[in-house]
Amino acid sequence: MNYVFYDFETSGNNKDFDQILQIGAVLTDDGFQVKDKINISCRLKKDVVPAPEALLINKISIDQLKSHEVSHYSLVEQLKNKFEKWSPSCFVGFNSIGFDEDVLRQGLFKSLNYPYITTSKDNRRLDVLKLARAVSAFAPNSIVVPLREGNKQSFKLGDLTKVNKIDHKNAHDAIADVMATLELAKKIKSNAPEVWDSLLIYKKGDDIGKKFFNEDFVCYQDLVFGKIYNFAAAFVCFHPVYGKSWLAAFDLKHDPRLLLDLGFNGLKQALFSSPTKIRQVSLNKMPVVLPKDYFSSLDNYKDIGLEEISKRAKLIKENQEFCNKVFEILAEKVKEKQETSSQDEEDYFPEQFIHQSSIKMKQSDKALFYKFQKGDWDEKAKVYTDFQDNVLKHFGRLLIFEENQDSLSQEELTLVKKEIAEKLLTTDQKPYITIPDAMKKIDDLRADESTDKKFLNDYDLFVQDLESQHKKNL
């Protein structure tokens, strides 16, 4: 199997609202020999304010943001074409499933492309951050894991490459991070092949769900409030609302005998009061799930013993009434959350609906979606207005505005400019960076003597210029 190692440098750390500014990617064979590569940068979109902290790290210049010849749309089209050409492959990154993949999906969908490129066409995914955490627990000494303050393990790419003697010059450049990730992956595969192969067999989240379902229990790793935990867990049920993309598993550290005869309300209280007995597992995030052969690595379960853990798993598996109650409790908890969530129109953001819009796209919109992709900009401008889904309509109009404003009417242009101005100039708290947010960040960073003052002055002038431009459009 071929591998695609990829990394993005972005305008910030918000997966929904920030954008790709640089992509680095290489295609390798199964021996990690590089066969092809891409390295593309682009300018800033007109509806994005970059985080100064991100630019200080990735060293992307203000000149690139303002005037790079490649647009975000062009970058996305080039990487889409290359990724499709390289498929089927296993797509690999460092924290790619936790961050880069979501940013990629946003970029693809906002360009009106199918967003699930890394999970279609027989592709697979691995995340080297997840692998590094997994081998630290289940194949210790495979790689060196440094300790930071408080004797806590550090899984930052820069820290891992340093102690494992991997060349990582120019860190936070996309292609440099790709090559460093590739070398770390080589080391993990070489020193912990069983763990590597055990995770590579999962083509998609469904395969992990089947593993949970078919085994007495599994060894499962999760990150809880920033801390790594390793569990022995038994399958209870798939999620009543999210279907087979999520499941509930019972943490076998706890004795289920104390819970099996509880009524609905008593069980609900017992399961979700601290310590939580039910683990809710997002299968599409490709969690680390290994067979029970790795039980000896679970330090917190050793005193209980394999025999007792197996008995507890059997009790859960054979008690359908208990599993049904858990299913109903999960359904009630979702309902309670929906009832308390905000219904305010000001809390609606199209960026947070890309999965719903792609997965539940109506047939009429699907036909228009493909027509939009194939048309020139004038044809796209005629097509986007016919979308029934307002999310598609929003991103279609915004894309045409970015790429070819002449295809929009004066009325449409005025509307888009005003929408962007209102979005970026607001003083209300938003999930994305506004111009007032950026100005406050500048003041905060100036208080830090170690901050690059020339960059801050350049960034300050850039933001002031953005403010001046957008105020004209209100």
Side-chain angles (χ1 to χ4, degrees):
M1 169 174 281
N2 288 340
Y3 295 95
V4 174
F5 287 85
Y6 72 103
D7 182 69
F8 301 139
E9 296 304 323
T10 60
S11 60
N13 61 9
N14 189 306
K15 297 182 285 188
D16 292 336
F17 296 93
D18 280 301
Q19 70 162 92
I20 302 168
L21 292 172
Q22 183 197 8
I23 168 155
V26 297
L27 173 72
T28 79
D29 60 22
D30 59 3
F32 298 117
Q33 294 300 306
V34 175
K35 301 165 68 176
D36 197 2
K37 70 164 61 175
I38 54 169
N39 185 9
I40 313 168
S41 298
C42 73
R43 61 181 177 266
L44 191 71
K45 291 167 62 186
K46 294 179 177 66
D47 66 332
V48 174
V49 178
E53 302 94 332
L55 301 182
L56 281 165
I57 291 170
N58 58 36
K59 309 296 184 188
I60 288 174
S61 69
I62 300 300
D63 283 345
Q64 175 184 323
L65 299 181
K66 292 166 64 175
S67 55
H68 198 285
E69 63 183 3
V70 177
S71 69
H72 177 262
Y73 173 73
S74 177
L75 176 146
V76 168
E77 288 297 298
Q78 289 181 65
L79 80 85
K80 174 182 78 79
N81 292 336
K82 189 64 83 170
F83 280 9
E84 286 178 344
K85 180 182 176 183
W86 289 348
S87 297
S89 290
C90 181
F91 283 79
V92 189
F94 192 87
N95 195 29
S96 51
I97 293 176
F99 182 76
D100 299 77
E101 189 173 67
D102 288 325
V103 175
L104 172 61
R105 288 172 176 175
Q106 285 282 349
L108 286 164
F109 190 76
K110 289 172 186 176
S111 300
L112 266 68
N113 285 297
Y114 178 71
Y116 304 108
I117 195 168
T118 58
T119 56
S120 61
K121 297 185 178 178
D122 255 358
N123 288 322
R124 297 171 189 248
R125 306 126 81 209
L126 280 177
D127 190 325
V128 175
L129 173 58
K130 288 177 182 279
L131 278 163
R133 289 171 176 161
V135 298
S136 74
F138 299 108
N141 305 319
S142 301
I143 59 169
V144 181
V145 179
L147 298 177
R148 59 176 190 247
E149 189 179 340
N151 216 32
K152 294 179 180 177
Q153 291 178 312
S154 173
F155 289 95
K156 290 183 177 179
L157 180 59
D159 292 344
L160 288 169
T161 54
K162 184 177 180 180
V163 296
N164 286 280
K165 297 181 171 52
I166 292 169
D167 182 23
H168 193 189
K169 296 184 184 74
N170 206 18
H172 300 293
D173 171 82
I175 201 70
D177 288 352
V178 162
M179 298 313 294
T181 301
L182 168 56
E183 292 302 319
L184 184 58
K186 276 187 192 178
K187 198 173 187 73
I188 292 172
K189 186 181 181 187
S190 174
N191 295 341
E194 297 87 357
V195 174
W196 179 281
D197 291 341
S198 293
L199 298 178
L200 186 61
I201 61 169
Y202 302 129
K203 187 174 169 184
K204 50 191 177 182
D206 282 355
D207 297 329
I208 301 175
K210 289 173 186 173
K211 182 74 173 177
F212 261 101
F213 183 82
N214 292 326
E215 298 287 328
D216 297 337
F217 71 90
V218 297
C219 298
Y220 158 63
Q221 188 178 83
D222 202 359
L223 200 65
V224 183
F225 299 115
K227 187 175 179 181
I228 298 170
Y229 288 89
N230 301 302
F231 301 97
F235 176 86
V236 176
C237 62
F238 288 107
H239 201 280
V241 177
Y242 309 133
K244 292 191 175 180
S245 62
W246 284 74
L247 61 76
F250 188 84
D251 180 1
L252 296 168
K253 192 188 297 113
H254 308 284
D255 189 346
R257 298 175 187 89
L258 306 173
L259 305 169
L260 295 179
D261 294 328
L262 292 178
F264 185 87
N265 291 329
L267 183 60
K268 181 180 177 183
Q269 174 67 25
L271 289 178
F272 292 97
S273 59
S274 185
T276 304
K277 286 81 176 173
I278 291 290
R279 310 304 314 167
Q280 295 190 64
V281 185
S282 174
L283 299 173
N284 288 339
K285 288 298 180 183
M286 305 304 286
V288 171
V289 175
L290 295 167
K292 60 185 177 183
D293 305 354
Y294 287 87
F295 177 76
S296 60
S297 299
L298 303 179
D299 291 338
N300 292 334
Y301 296 77
K302 283 180 180 176
D303 290 343
I304 301 171
L306 179 58
E307 184 179 350
E308 172 61 17
I309 291 293
S310 299
K311 286 179 181 177
R312 292 178 180 183
K314 191 169 185 287
L315 281 170
I316 295 292
K317 287 273 191 175
E318 292 181 350
N319 196 312
Q320 192 57 50
E321 184 181 354
F322 173 82
C323 296
N324 289 342
K325 282 182 189 174
V326 174
F327 184 87
E328 292 167 9
I329 288 168
L330 291 172
E332 185 173 279
K333 285 178 72 68
V334 171
K335 185 179 178 183
E336 290 169 353
K337 185 177 180 180
Q338 289 172 342
E339 288 172 351
T340 56
S341 64
S342 173
Q343 301 297 317
D344 194 328
E345 282 188 16
E346 291 187 5
D347 291 335
Y348 166 79
F349 303 102
E351 293 84 353
Q352 295 173 337
F353 286 83
I354 73 152
H355 298 297
Q356 182 174 317
S357 288
S358 10
I359 293 168
K360 297 182 179 179
M361 194 182 296
K362 294 178 179 177
Q363 282 301 125
S364 57
D365 276 350
K366 279 184 182 178
L368 292 170
F369 190 77
Y370 296 121
K371 189 176 180 181
F372 184 97
Q373 290 173 344
K374 293 176 181 176
D376 62 26
W377 290 108
D378 286 343
E379 289 167 334
K380 290 182 199 294
K382 293 174 184 174
V383 169
Y384 92 87
T385 57
D386 292 331
F387 283 124
Q388 292 184 46
D389 184 346
N390 286 330
V391 173
L392 292 170
K393 196 173 289 186
H394 170 81
F395 288 127
R397 181 172 61 233
L398 195 58
L399 180 61
I400 299 165
F401 175 76
E402 286 277 355
E403 292 296 314
N404 199 70
Q405 295 186 9
D406 291 343
S407 295
L408 294 175
S409 68
Q410 191 57 49
E411 183 181 353
E412 289 170 315
L413 276 175
T414 302
L415 174 64
V416 178
K417 288 178 180 178
K418 186 179 180 186
E419 274 182 359
I420 294 174
E422 289 174 344
K423 171 186 175 182
L424 298 185
L425 291 170
T426 182
T427 55
D428 294 339
Q429 186 69 39
K430 297 294 180 183
Y432 53 85
I433 294 179
T434 63
I435 288 172
D437 289 335
M439 291 178 168
K440 182 179 184 308
K441 286 174 181 289
I442 293 167
D443 293 338
D444 292 344
L445 286 166
R446 279 209 173 105
D448 184 347
E449 290 298 322
S450 66
T451 306
D452 182 338
K453 296 300 187 289
K454 182 184 183 307
F455 164 79
L456 273 187
N457 289 335
D458 291 345
Y459 179 82
D460 192 1
L461 291 171
F462 172 66
V463 172
Q464 287 182 46
D465 188 41
L466 286 180
E467 181 185 40
S468 175
Q469 291 174 36
H470 288 302
K471 278 185 173 178
K472 295 174 185 175
N473 296 325
L474 287 176

